[in-house]
Amino acid sequence: MPVGLDLLAARTEDRSRRVLDFVHALLSAQTELTQSLDEVLANLAEAIGADVAGWAGTPGGQIIAQSSVGQAEANRTQPWQTQPELMIQAADATLAVPIACGENTTCLIAVDARSDNVGWLLWIEAPPERVWTDAERAALVLAVQAIGRRRCGSDSSPRWARQLDRALRLRRLEDAALVTRRLSHDFGNILTGILGFTELTMAQLTPTDSAYPFAKELCEAVQHGTRMTDQLRLFSRRNANTGQPSDVANGLAAEETCLRKAGGPPWSLRIDVAPDLPPVSLNAETLQPVLANVLANAREAVNSGGQVTVMARATRLAQADCRDLLGYIEPGVCVEVAVADDGRGLSPEARQKLFAEPFFTDKPRHRGLGLAVVYGILQAYKGALTVEPGAERGTLVRLFLPVVAVATPAAPARGVSTSAARGEKVLIVDDDPMILKLCTATLQKAGYRVQTASTASEALDSYQAAGREPFRLVVSDVFMPRMTGVDLARRLRHEDANVKVLFMSGQVSPSVPKEDFVDGPFDFLPKPFRPEGLLSAVRSAIDRAHHRIPAGASEPG
């Protein structure tokens, strides 16, 4: 055998031996359980002589998480994008396939199928001249199976196993958020009509009327439904509202006051806030439900004489830390708020179902919305959280809140005009007949001249036909068939640069680009709304000259 080929064969045999030793260490549990998956992959890349090693979780053939170590080619198509059929095969097969991943890279992919329809793939990359031997392909199959075996082990699972579990929970939560977003929008429409017409009916009654108590009960019931819809909207939101940064210390002080006023069995609350905490990017109104839900859960968990401890401090997260958290926070400085209680803690079953079932709760007469709301808000603001067993007993919830580099100067207060209607023309656009009737009845009673349109195309025709007496305001739903409210506003602005638009919506999807809300005098009225809320929003929108919504304000609060 020529010397060059002999050396190549020896090098290939050495690589095969080293990668088999690596797999043997995995199978025999010699690898430290505390290693992250990235550390395991780095060892694999070194053993097999590859430039890059990576992994991705694949439940039902859909990528839920990914990571790689080493120097990858910039902007390269990922292996599963090169051959997406591999993801389909992942449901019922374990295989190792060499593929081209660009002009300068060749990849060897191993996909492992799991009985619960959740698999994952590993891949390694090298220059295009690299030839993957049968031994290396077999070794990579063994490696992905060994990782699968270790993932299904005990509670002492390694960090990368926790990352895969976290990725699966995130996918389930995001799937639930998609459904919830649409439902909260539709329920918001229905509740807006019920609440509005109920209050209009009560305005015609006196407390001595026999129908008044029933109308009052109906009004309170629909208000309760409205609050639940608001919580669903907070869970499914994915766009952050703009606003002034807030101070965690002030938020905790306000919640402490509320908890102590609530009364109940004796308990103790200890709050320790580090000095000079940086402001967080959540505004005070948004931070409040985050702190309120977590503290309320802790308060309910403790028995008489129990204790809740809250600690807030600035901390720096590394990339590896972020992968262990529920959320998509970026590495760097953030504010950590840790809330610990000495209650009975979470059962093993509850820990398994928490966030895996989006609205799971083990409390009677609860709906599991508290932590779901916390998760939704933190997702919108690129924060994160964890829920863990306490050091001795109870539960520890850790919130990681993104900070702002420089506090934004306080904006001048924007008062709501209360001046009466002066017969202004208003165009109402909504595909829901009940919303049109409610808005018409409310605004006409207040003295506005109202015209309605059930489609955006009809609204365009009405606006163009207005002639010398144009509409002072267009009040439009956001999501309508064929043409959305955003498209309508864009068309109107093209014809009339001074058009004023008030959007009303129960939920603005992240699929609506933020730039659609930058230009023009637009404002929001979140659904469900009450008649006086509609009147205030309409009056303010008419009176406020060319109020611009900041780029981030793409969703009602």
Side-chain angles (χ1 to χ4, degrees), residues 304-320:
S304 179
Q307 178 170 293
V308 175
T309 303
V310 182
M311 297 185 64
R313 63 187 179 91
T315 187
R316 181 178 292 276
L317 295 176
Q319 183 69 54

Side-chain angles (χ1 to χ4, degrees), residues 37 55-59 63 65 87 90 93 109-114 116 118-122 143-152 160 164:
L37 181 54
W55 71 275
T58 63
I63 294 296
M87 298 302 93
I109 294 183
V111 181
D112 183 42
R114 306 305 306 168
D116 57 359
V118 177
W120 52 90
L121 61 84
L122 300 182
V144 77
Q145 290 178 325
I147 289 175
R149 170 179 167 179
R150 290 282 297 282
R151 175 185 180 270
C152 299
W160 50 263
L164 288 170

Side-chain angles (χ1 to χ4, degrees), residues 57-372:
T58 63
Q62 185 178 19
I63 294 296
I64 59 171
Q66 61 194 57
S67 180
S68 60
V69 296
Q71 187 63 42
E73 181 182 328
N75 300 322
R76 178 181 55 75
T77 301
Q78 296 294 348
W80 57 85
Q81 296 171 322
T82 303
Q83 290 196 3
E85 65 273 12
L86 289 175
M87 298 302 93
I88 300 175
Q89 292 173 300
D92 56 11
T94 299
L95 67 159
V97 181
I99 64 172
C101 298
E103 296 181 359
N104 302 318
T105 309
T106 182
C107 295
L108 181 63
I109 294 183
V111 181
D112 183 42
R114 306 305 306 168
S115 59
D116 57 359
N117 200 32
V118 177
W120 52 90
L121 61 84
L122 300 182
W123 78 90
I124 49 180
E125 303 175 10
E129 62 270 15
R130 173 70 179 264
V131 177
W132 304 106
T133 66
D134 290 342
E136 290 167 340
R137 294 172 64 172
L140 195 60
V141 169
L142 288 174
V144 77
Q145 290 178 325
I147 289 175
R149 170 179 167 179
R150 290 282 297 282
R151 175 185 180 270
C152 299
S154 64
D155 289 340
S156 58
S157 56
R159 170 182 265 184
W160 50 263
R162 297 196 303 272
Q163 292 169 3
L164 288 170
D165 180 69
R166 162 194 174 271
L168 181 57
R169 290 173 190 259
L170 282 173
R171 171 53 58 189
R172 288 173 175 167
L173 286 167
E174 293 308 297
D175 288 344
L178 287 175
V179 177
T180 304
R181 183 176 300 120
R182 185 65 219 183
L183 289 176
S184 63
H185 174 272
D186 293 343
F187 286 146
N189 275 358
I190 295 170
L191 290 172
T192 295
I194 298 174
L195 180 60
F197 283 117
T198 300
E199 294 197 344
L200 289 176
T201 300
M202 290 185 66
Q204 306 299 317
L205 302 174
T206 66
T208 59
D209 290 330
S210 59
Y212 186 87
F214 304 116
K216 185 177 180 181
E217 289 290 336
L218 178 60
C219 188
E220 291 178 355
V222 74
Q223 286 177 9
H224 177 67
T226 297
R227 289 191 291 271
M228 291 190 65
T229 303
D230 288 341
Q231 289 181 304
L232 291 174
R233 193 169 70 239
L234 286 173
F235 161 66
S236 61
R237 70 185 295 173
R238 291 299 177 269
N239 288 340
N241 288 342
T242 57
Q244 298 303 309
S246 60
D247 186 289
V248 170
N250 292 339
L252 288 172
E255 289 308 314
E256 179 182 10
T257 301
C258 293
L259 286 172
R260 297 197 184 281
K261 285 182 179 178
W267 64 292
S268 62
L269 173 65
R270 184 171 67 88
I271 298 180
D272 181 7
V273 179
D276 301 324
L277 279 183
V280 297
S281 59
L282 290 76
N283 57 49
E285 183 181 359
T286 306
L287 179 63
Q288 183 271 332
V290 173
L291 298 177
N293 279 298
V294 174
L295 287 170
N297 283 346
R299 170 66 186 92
E300 292 178 9
V302 298
N303 299 317
S304 179
Q307 178 170 293
V308 175
T309 303
V310 182
M311 297 185 64
R313 63 187 179 91
T315 187
R316 181 178 292 276
L317 295 176
Q319 183 69 54
D321 299 323
C322 296
R323 296 194 188 107
D324 287 336
L325 307 177
L326 201 65
Y328 292 110
I329 194 168
E330 297 292 330
V333 175
C334 66
V335 171
E336 177 185 352
V337 180
V339 181
D341 66 71
D342 60 1
R344 58 185 178 86
L346 296 171
S347 67
E349 179 185 10
R351 289 201 302 270
Q352 183 180 5
K353 292 184 177 181
L354 192 64
F355 295 113
E357 297 180 10
F359 301 112
F360 168 78
T361 180
D362 57 358
K363 300 176 183 177
R365 297 184 61 80
H366 281 65
R367 298 294 180 265
L369 290 172
L371 283 178

Side-chain angles (χ1 to χ4, degrees), residues 425-490:
K425 285 180 64 177
V426 177
L427 178 61
I428 309 294
V429 192
D430 202 302
D431 59 330
D432 189 322
M434 183 168 58
I435 299 298
L436 289 179
K437 292 178 182 177
L438 172 64
C439 292
T440 299
T442 302
L443 294 178
Q444 284 182 341
K445 184 179 178 181
Y448 293 97
R449 289 179 292 159
V450 179
Q451 189 169 333
T452 64
S454 58
T455 66
S457 297
E458 184 182 345
L460 274 175
D461 294 339
S462 297
Y463 197 88
Q464 293 167 348
R468 296 181 178 179
E469 192 178 5
F471 292 99
R472 293 291 305 278
L473 179 68
V474 177
V475 182
S476 176
D477 189 22
V478 174
F479 290 109
M480 295 179 290
R482 291 180 293 279
M483 187 190 303
T484 68
V486 174
D487 294 329
L488 170 63
R490 195 180 296 125

